[in-house]
């Protein structure tokens, strides 16, 4: 039986179609060590079966016509599983992530058990973006680790993906979507038009990644001082720098919202995250004031993506997308003082990390890394920003927060 996709899954499908056949960058990988106990391969396979039985999203594949697919739920699934010995974990993760999923025929999970002397020591999971978003991938890894440790999980009471999709297709869901679309239209009316043109390169979309211990410490320092989250601080900084590039007084940027704030959604395993919208007036040179505005910005982020795309067609566009992919506990106290933060800038690395010919987004800023070293990647259309401008944007982001942390 064909079930509808959630709005979040429909968003992902639009991104997949726009990027094919290079959409493997959307895959989600998780790597973790097993609990400190001997874990045999037999036990690991049994734990995997229990994990798949627990989460419907791991037993679904696309079905129906390609232009408007649905999904089919199976009673069981047998995903790709490798037993690996002697290969570096991150290399395994990269290898399993390197190809897009076969959405109609492949189960949405690839697994590798890394063994030493016959026992499983680490696990690599690569998940299909149509099955899970970032928070859901974290939940799957959490549950799998607990099962490998021999623990019993509480009854799974989160909303099911098919229930969410059913509500979204109801009169109540469509009414909610209409309200959110209307709100976005109001916000779009505030955004100043802009035009940036550069000579496109081949490949057209290029990604640079900056690895910076200075930015990691500076962001936490500034966020703690201004009493906002580090994610809000980074988003505000991203919008501020976009305004400098475009000359806009009022600038908008989309950002990822997990849509898990209420009821049974906290632990739902599905792709339900969607883009929210922040529009900021950049009429003050005081970055602290901008941070306050960013912290107060509303986010309406649950809607029919096709209705939203139709409503916004031909209107002034936002400047790209911000995506904070760091795991939990993002806002630990900074470990470096002002002098150490400045010195840490000498340890910043910047490298070109990817390139592709097609993408749905012309500016995509992604934040990842560990508390002591932040990794910020910028995928941009070289018709919007030249390669030199891509590099400059990342370094300016670091400089913005380092200077603010020294105030």
């Amino acid at each position: 039986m064909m079930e509808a996709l959630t709005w979040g899954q429909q968003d992902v499908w639009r991104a997949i179609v726009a990027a094919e056949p290079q959409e493997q960058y959307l895959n989600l990988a998780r790597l973790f060590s097993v609990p400190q106990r001997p874990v045999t391969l037999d036990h690991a396979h049994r734990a995997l079966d229990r994990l798949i039985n627990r989460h419907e999203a791991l037993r679904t594949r696309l079905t129906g016509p390609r232009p408007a697919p649905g999904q089919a739920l199976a009673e069981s699934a047998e995903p790709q599983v490798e037993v690996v010995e002697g290969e570096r974990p991150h290399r395994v993760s990269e290898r399993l992530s390197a190809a897009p999923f076969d959405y109609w025929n492949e189960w949405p999970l690839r697994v590798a058990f890394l063994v030493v002397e016959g026992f499983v020591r680490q696990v690599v999971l690569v998940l299909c973006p149509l099955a899970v978003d970032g928070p859901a991938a974290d939940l799957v890894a959490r549950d799998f680790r607990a099962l490998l440790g021999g623990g019993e999980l509480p009854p799974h009471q989160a909303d099911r993906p098919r229930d969410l999709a059913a509500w979204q297709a109801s009169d109540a869901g469509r009414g909610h979507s209409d309200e959110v679309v209307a709100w976005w239209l109001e916000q779009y009316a505030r955004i100043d038009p802009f035009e940036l043109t550069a000579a496109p390169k081949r490949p057209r979309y290029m990604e640079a990644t900056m690895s910076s211990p200075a930015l990691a410490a500076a962001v936490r320092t500034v966020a703690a001082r201004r009493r906002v989250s580090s994610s809000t601080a980074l988003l505000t900084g991203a919008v501020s720098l976009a305004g400098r590039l475009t000359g806009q007084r009022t600038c908008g940027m989309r950002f990822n919202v997990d849509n898990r704030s209420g009821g049974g959604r906290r632990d739902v395993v599905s792709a339900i995250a969607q883009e929210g919208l922040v529009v900021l007036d950049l009429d003050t040179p005081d970055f602290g004031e901008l941070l306050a505005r960013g912290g107060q910005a509303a986010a309406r982020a649950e809607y029919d993506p096709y209705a939203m795309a139709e409503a916004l067609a031909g209107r002034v566009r936002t400047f790209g997308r911000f995506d904070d992919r760091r795991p939990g506990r993002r806002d630990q106290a900074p470990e470096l003082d002002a002098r150490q933060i400045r010195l840490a800038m000498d340890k910043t690395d910047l490298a070109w990390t990817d390139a592709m010919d097609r993408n749905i987004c012309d500016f995509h800023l992604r934040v990842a890394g560990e508390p002591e070293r932040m990794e910020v990647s910028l995928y941009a259309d070289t018709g919007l920003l030249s390669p030199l401008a891509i590099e400059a944007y990342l370094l300016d982001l670091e400089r913005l927060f380092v200077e603010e942390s020294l105030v």
Side-chain angles (χ1 to χ4, degrees):
M1 178 179 177
M2 187 170 78
E3 306 280 354
L5 301 180
T6 66
W7 288 336
Q9 289 176 299
Q10 292 174 35
D11 255 341
V12 173
W13 181 243
R14 292 176 64 244
I16 286 171
V17 170
E20 282 179 326
Q22 299 173 301
E23 77 273 19
Q24 66 273 5
Y25 79 96
L26 294 166
N27 295 343
L28 294 103
R30 295 295 184 266
L31 165 63
F32 61 89
S33 298
V34 302
Q36 295 299 313
R37 63 186 297 272
V39 175
T40 66
L41 280 169
D42 284 344
H43 175 76
H45 281 285
R46 288 194 298 271
L48 179 60
D49 289 341
R50 293 174 64 190
L51 179 78
I52 292 170
N53 184 64
R54 180 177 177 84
H55 296 301
E56 289 186 358
L58 305 182
R59 295 181 274 120
T60 58
R61 293 179 290 196
L62 290 191
T63 188
R66 182 177 178 80
Q71 58 190 330
L73 172 65
E75 292 185 1
S76 62
E78 297 182 1
Q80 171 186 329
V81 179
E82 292 187 10
V83 177
V84 180
E85 188 168 8
E87 189 175 358
R88 293 183 177 180
H90 288 285
R91 174 65 188 130
V92 176
S93 179
E94 291 172 359
R95 178 167 55 79
L96 293 185
S97 302
F101 279 77
D102 181 348
Y103 310 107
W104 270 262
N105 298 302
E106 182 181 2
W107 297 111
L109 175 65
R110 300 168 184 165
V111 183
F113 295 132
L114 281 66
V115 300
V116 178
E117 297 179 350
F119 293 101
V120 180
R121 303 297 185 185
Q122 293 177 296
V123 176
V124 172
L125 302 178
V126 175
L127 296 119
C128 175
L130 283 166
V132 299
D133 51 26
D138 292 337
L139 289 168
V140 170
R142 180 201 68 186
D143 285 356
F144 198 14
R145 191 174 189 277
L147 290 169
L148 287 167
E152 290 295 327
L153 298 176
H156 192 52
Q157 297 178 337
D159 292 343
R160 297 177 301 180
R162 51 180 158 165
D163 296 330
L164 292 175
W167 175 81
Q168 291 165 355
S170 70
D171 290 343
R174 288 192 294 269
H176 176 86
S177 176
D178 291 344
E179 291 178 4
V180 176
V181 170
W183 181 85
W184 275 56
L185 288 173
E186 292 174 0
Q187 297 302 306
Y188 260 62
R190 298 172 51 203
I191 300 174
D192 293 326
F194 73 93
E195 183 176 357
L196 290 176
T197 56
K201 308 296 181 183
R202 293 289 305 273
R204 179 156 186 162
Y205 297 89
M206 300 182 67
E207 179 190 64
T209 298
M210 178 178 68
S211 177
S212 171
L215 180 60
V219 166
R220 296 205 303 274
T221 298
V222 172
R225 182 184 301 157
R226 299 295 184 176
R227 298 183 179 181
V228 298
S229 70
S230 62
S231 192
T232 294
L234 284 163
L235 173 59
T236 305
V239 176
S240 175
L241 291 181
R244 292 184 191 179
L245 281 173
T246 63
Q248 292 170 289
R249 292 171 298 176
T250 303
C251 184
M253 185 172 286
R254 302 183 185 208
F255 65 103
N256 202 51
V257 179
D258 66 21
N259 284 331
R260 285 173 166 78
S261 59
R265 295 189 175 192
R266 185 172 65 89
D267 291 331
V268 65
V269 171
S270 182
I272 66 171
Q274 290 187 264
E275 289 181 332
L277 173 68
V278 61
V279 178
L280 293 179
D281 295 320
L282 305 177
D283 56 0
T284 174
D286 183 354
F287 188 57
E289 171 63 23
L290 280 182
L291 285 173
R293 295 177 186 179
Q296 296 166 2
R300 304 293 299 275
E302 190 174 14
Y303 49 83
D304 179 337
Y306 291 97
M308 181 69 80
E310 182 179 356
L312 298 180
R315 295 181 179 269
V316 172
R317 59 186 174 141
T318 58
F319 194 88
R321 185 174 190 265
F322 172 86
D323 190 359
D324 190 344
R325 297 187 175 184
R326 293 174 295 161
R329 296 198 65 202
R330 301 172 177 178
D331 296 328
Q332 299 98 320
E335 299 176 358
L336 304 180
D337 60 28
R339 182 185 67 84
Q340 292 171 319
I341 290 175
R342 186 177 288 279
L343 291 174
M345 294 179 73
D346 292 336
K347 299 179 181 179
T348 298
D349 294 323
L350 197 151
W352 292 100
T353 46
D354 203 358
M356 61 193 305
D357 296 311
R358 302 178 64 212
N359 203 315
I360 197 171
C361 186
D362 56 14
F363 180 100
H364 189 180
L365 189 70
R366 300 198 305 275
V367 181
E370 301 300 327
E372 68 277 1
R373 178 177 283 272
M374 187 172 288
E375 293 185 359
V376 185
S377 300
L378 175 54
Y379 238 128
D381 182 348
T382 56
L384 179 71
L385 296 181
S386 70
L388 285 177
I390 293 172
E391 291 182 335
Y393 184 97
L394 291 171
L395 294 172
D396 285 347
L397 185 68
E398 178 188 58
R399 188 177 301 111
L400 171 67
F401 280 98
V402 169
E403 291 178 354
E404 185 67 20
S405 73
L406 302 178
V407 174

